[in-house]
Amino acid sequence: MKFPKFSFRWFLLGVGLIAIIGLTGMNVYSLYALHESTVVSKQENQKNKLIDFTNEVRHRFTSPLNDRFRLNTSRFEEQMQSDDEKPEAFLSMLNNASEDSLFSEVYFTDAECRPCEDGGEIRKYNPQTESFEWVDQTPEEVSDGITMARTNMSVLIGDYRWQTRIFFDTHRSLTIAIINSREEELLGFVNLLIDSDYLLESYLTPKISELFRPAEESGIVVWLHDWTQDEVLASTDESVPYDFQLVSTTQNFPDLLNNWNLKASFTESPTISASRATLIRNLSVLGATVVFLIGALVFMFITAQKERNLARRQAGFLANVTHELKTPLAVMQAAGENLADGRVNDESRITSYGRHIHNEAMRLRGMIEKLLDVAKADAGQMVLKPEYANLVDEINTYLQNKRSMIRSEGVKVDFQYDEPIPKVYIDRSSFDTIFGNLVENAIKYSGDEKYIGIRLRNTGKHLNVDVIDNGRGIPPGDQKYIFDKFYRVESSLTANTKGHGLGLSIVKDLTELNGGSVSVTSEENKGSTFTITFPLDSTNTNQTHKLNGESINQAESGDQRKRQKSSKPAET
Ligand code: ADP
């Protein structure tokens, strides 16, 4: 296998390709990074919204109780035990809580009382009379809330420096511990029962729906979830059922509603879809541009490479052809001189000199004709006179004309075809050149035993002409180049055979000009088959092949029998 020599051109091609691939890589990376940052910032935004919302819920619970900050607890115990007027800030706080639909009932107990233990000694606040009324039975939620607050406060009391402290018993109740921080003493507890129906139906559900909108608009689905019961309490988009595998983030409420949390799943929002569409569009444009750029670069490189090879072959050809033109001229000149001087009198020698001059002139003519054919084809000046031609006749005529050459070369010709052979619409003189070049090559590149097989095959849509030899064959790597101008297979055998690499390029040009195509199959040391394919149209498949002056119409005859006819005009 031949490796191309490393040269500056290969280096530049490599640099060009690396530059294109590098730039593309960078662009793809930045496009992805841009898309990812859009996705991440959108999701960060939604997460911050969740955090803000849980803080807002806490604020909603505590804001009606803001008067607790004004409470002076130094005389609180005394005021609560006597019939004295109760502290104004305390009453205001209780009134606000009673009016708020979030809380259903308001209770008070002093620090000594153990409502959960003895089931009594608890007072319910009446906002109408602004007074406290003893209740016999302590509701369970109230008892639980106060007990929990008392336990927590007993730990905190030494370090605590505020007059009140709020504790939530999840979504059931809220307990405010009243404290004399200077004396480090607990003074009592206010317990507010939470109306969970109102909380859920009238506050949380509408609020999250309003904030987060349906998934299609916002790119997020939020579920209010009771994790202790594994129950969804509210959702921002009923069309997306809750599935823990979908959950991308979970947000707890700060110190309240401990059994509940917000779970969220990110879906594709319009912003993200737009960003993805832009990404896909940009990647497609980039991909197409890169393919185009690489294609153009490789195409330019291959074209330059071909031009170089052609120039190299052309230079070789010029040197070669000058020599080839000079040789017959020198022979003709010498023979002519001898004849002109009258030095040759013997009749047989005169004949031999004449034959020499004739043969060399024919060689010269053949070469000049080939050169002219190439020049004409290159200049697009080939004049064709297409007509319906019978290739059986054309081939027979050619073989007849060349019979002396065929005989002298000792070639065995085997011409076979299946009848009927339809006519093809081509320029007959072109066919003569095409066929002649193929036959000449088959003879030139054959071994000692020269054989030419000629087959005409009607495939229905095409008429194929095969020229077969059992010569040296063509190496697979060369087969695609042999139709190029000036191309010759580099081997010692070719070097010993006269030629300029023009014959097959003329075959290709002329065949294509006549609407056909040429192909080759070849195996080294076994032989080659060159196939010329001409299209048959409905008109010329109906054309007739004249045999013995009789017209046989393929379409009309209905004769499906395939007769094999062998013609051997020259055989040695
Ligand atoms: P030329 O024969 O003048 O060199 P062509 O264009 O006719 O030029 O052929 C190009 C090359 O293809 C030849 O040099 C030869 O190496 C190879 N070639 C063509 N025909 C045959 C054949 N029938 N058998 C083997 N090699 C062939």
Side-chain angles (χ1 to χ4, degrees):
M1 188 174 158
K2 275 187 250 165
F3 285 101
K5 256 201 262 164
F6 184 78
S7 69
F8 191 56
R9 283 170 305 117
W10 282 95
F11 172 73
L12 283 184
L13 177 71
V15 170
L17 287 176
I18 291 171
I20 292 174
I21 292 166
L23 279 173
T24 313
M26 269 170 56
N27 270 318
V28 170
Y29 175 76
S30 24
L31 285 173
Y32 262 108
L34 190 70
H35 174 68
E36 281 303 304
S37 73
T38 313
V39 174
V40 169
S41 77
K42 180 82 192 163
Q43 293 184 351
E44 281 304 313
N45 238 340
Q46 302 283 31
K47 279 186 196 168
N48 288 338
K49 231 168 142 184
L50 277 178
I51 296 172
D52 287 351
F53 174 63
T54 55
N55 286 328
E56 190 187 321
V57 173
R58 185 179 168 88
H59 183 70
R60 170 70 184 83
F61 273 98
T62 55
S63 60
L65 313 175
N66 277 350
D67 283 328
R68 71 192 186 279
F69 296 118
R70 295 196 288 117
L71 186 64
N72 181 351
T73 53
S74 51
R75 288 188 56 239
F76 182 82
E77 205 170 14
E78 197 181 309
Q79 285 170 318
M80 290 304 288
Q81 275 168 9
S82 68
D83 290 337
D84 286 1
E85 207 170 298
K86 309 288 180 269
E88 188 268 327
F90 184 63
L91 287 185
S92 164
M93 178 177 85
L94 299 189
N95 286 338
N96 284 343
S98 304
E99 276 166 28
D100 196 319
S101 322
L102 204 50
F103 304 113
S104 53
E105 284 164 6
V106 177
Y107 291 90
F108 174 77
T109 177
D110 54 39
E112 306 312 320
C113 162
R114 295 273 187 276
C116 19
E117 283 159 25
D118 53 21
E121 300 206 26
I122 187 152
R123 284 180 271 178
K124 185 176 176 182
Y125 182 66
N126 183 342
Q128 266 83 42
T129 55
E130 295 196 340
S131 60
F132 294 92
E133 292 157 9
W134 293 102
V135 290
D136 299 335
Q137 198 68 39
T138 309
E140 194 188 321
E141 291 96 325
V142 178
S143 175
D144 287 354
I146 292 173
T147 308
M148 192 189 72
R150 177 180 290 118
T151 314
N152 282 324
M153 247 357 267
S154 64
V155 181
L156 290 175
I157 191 80
D159 301 325
Y160 206 73
R161 53 190 189 87
W162 304 104
Q163 290 99 313
T164 56
R165 172 75 150 93
I166 290 179
F167 297 94
F168 282 87
D169 177 13
T170 183
H171 57 282
R172 302 200 304 165
S173 75
L174 176 160
T175 304
I176 309 166
I178 317 282
I179 306 148
N180 183 345
S181 52
R182 207 173 296 155
E183 306 290 331
E184 295 184 358
E185 188 187 2
L186 266 173
L187 306 174
F189 297 98
V190 174
N191 182 274
L192 311 176
L193 278 184
I194 296 172
D195 181 342
S196 47
D197 285 345
Y198 172 85
L199 172 66
L200 210 55
E201 306 301 333
S202 308
Y203 178 61
L204 289 177
T205 307
K207 197 78 191 171
I208 55 171
S209 297
E210 178 197 329
L211 259 180
F212 293 100
R213 322 286 310 146
E216 247 181 33
E217 268 177 59
S218 59
I220 189 172
V221 187
V222 180
W223 296 283
L224 177 65
H225 187 239
D226 184 334
W227 58 268
T228 55
Q229 308 292 323
D230 191 18
E231 183 189 348
V232 174
L233 305 171
S235 160
T236 56
D237 194 329
E238 296 298 339
S239 66
V240 187
Y242 172 76
D243 177 353
F244 77 95
Q245 281 176 328
L246 289 179
V247 173
S248 327
T249 185
T250 300
Q251 182 60 46
N252 294 324
F253 292 92
D255 283 342
L256 69 151
L257 312 181
N258 297 349
N259 291 356
W260 298 355
N261 55 25
L262 293 170
K263 297 207 161 69
S265 165
F266 296 112
T267 59
E268 192 152 287
S269 70
T271 326
I272 293 173
S273 321
S275 161
R276 183 183 302 282
T278 313
L279 175 74
I280 291 171
R281 199 182 48 235
N282 287 348
L283 284 181
S284 318
V285 172
L286 188 70
T289 315
V290 167
V291 168
F292 180 74
L293 266 180
I294 293 184
L297 194 70
V298 170
F299 175 77
M300 270 161 42
F301 185 80
I302 291 174
T303 315
Q305 193 83 356
K306 275 191 176 163
E307 296 286 326
R308 264 172 68 92
N309 289 344
L310 184 67
R312 194 164 44 80
R313 289 203 304 266
Q314 231 160 354
F317 164 77
L318 264 184
N320 208 352
V321 87
T322 320
H323 172 74
E324 292 276 318
L325 288 174
K326 273 182 171 172
T327 316
L329 273 178
V331 173
M332 280 165 22
Q333 192 183 359
E337 253 174 33
N338 287 345
L339 287 175
D341 289 353
R343 269 183 270 155
V344 184
N345 297 320
D346 179 5
E347 210 170 296
S348 67
R349 286 190 66 201
I350 293 177
T351 318
S352 144
Y353 272 70
R355 197 175 297 126
H356 261 317
I357 292 174
H358 178 258
N359 286 347
E360 292 304 315
M362 289 307 286
R363 249 182 74 188
L364 210 53
R365 186 185 156 157
M367 244 163 65
I368 290 169
E369 269 174 3
K370 266 192 186 165
L371 285 175
L372 286 177
D373 279 348
V374 173
K376 273 197 221 155
D378 275 357
Q381 284 176 355
M382 208 65 117
V383 183
L384 302 183
K385 286 192 203 128
E387 57 189 302
Y388 282 103
N390 177 351
L391 294 193
V392 177
D393 291 347
E394 294 301 318
I395 292 171
N396 276 332
T397 312
Y398 177 89
L399 295 174
Q400 194 65 25
N401 291 341
K402 298 284 173 181
R403 67 180 180 283
S404 58
M405 183 271 281
I406 290 170
R407 196 172 297 132
S408 69
E409 292 278 352
V411 187
K412 182 180 173 199
V413 178
D414 171 21
F415 178 23
Q416 292 183 16
Y417 53 91
D418 294 338
E419 284 194 38
I421 295 295
K423 290 186 174 184
V424 281
Y425 192 66
I426 51 160
D427 174 44
R428 287 170 54 207
S429 127
S430 299
F431 181 74
D432 213 41
T433 314
I434 295 167
F435 185 70
N437 283 353
L438 292 181
V439 169
E440 275 171 34
N441 279 352
I443 298 173
K444 265 199 310 191
Y445 301 107
S446 277
D448 292 337
E449 259 191 32
K450 294 187 194 297
Y451 161 87
I452 301 177
I454 302 163
R455 305 278 180 274
L456 278 183
R457 290 182 288 120
N458 176 2
T459 66
K461 286 191 171 172
H462 297 99
L463 184 64
N464 291 347
V465 185
D466 295 330
V467 178
I468 309 158
D469 64 61
N470 53 9
R472 67 183 65 152
I474 304 160
D478 289 297
Q479 286 175 19
K480 60 175 182 250
Y481 300 116
I482 54 174
F483 296 99
D484 290 356
K485 228 178 285 166
F486 308 123
Y487 190 88
R488 303 201 76 207
V489 175
E490 278 177 22
S491 76
S492 57
L493 289 166
T494 312
N496 295 330
T497 317
K498 282 202 165 58
H500 308 290
L502 290 176
L504 288 182
S505 100
I506 294 171
V507 168
K508 186 167 189 283
D509 284 347
L510 285 181
T511 311
E512 284 172 1
L513 272 176
N514 280 280
S517 61
V518 57
S519 60
V520 63
T521 52
S522 182
E523 215 177 313
E524 275 186 281
N525 300 321
K526 288 220 166 133
S528 314
T529 300
F530 284 86
T531 302
I532 306 288
T533 303
F534 291 117
L536 294 173
D537 56 34
S538 53
T539 332
N540 60 14
T541 45
N542 286 338
Q543 290 296 317
T544 55
H545 164 58
K546 285 198 172 28
L547 190 68
N548 298 331
E550 231 183 85
S551 175
I552 302 169
N553 185 308
Q554 191 191 7
E556 284 169 18
S557 70
D559 181 4
Q560 298 302 319
R561 277 178 303 129
K562 296 258 168 167
R563 275 185 289 151
Q564 200 166 64
K565 188 169 162 50
S566 178
S567 156
K568 294 175 187 170
E571 203 173 301
T572 54

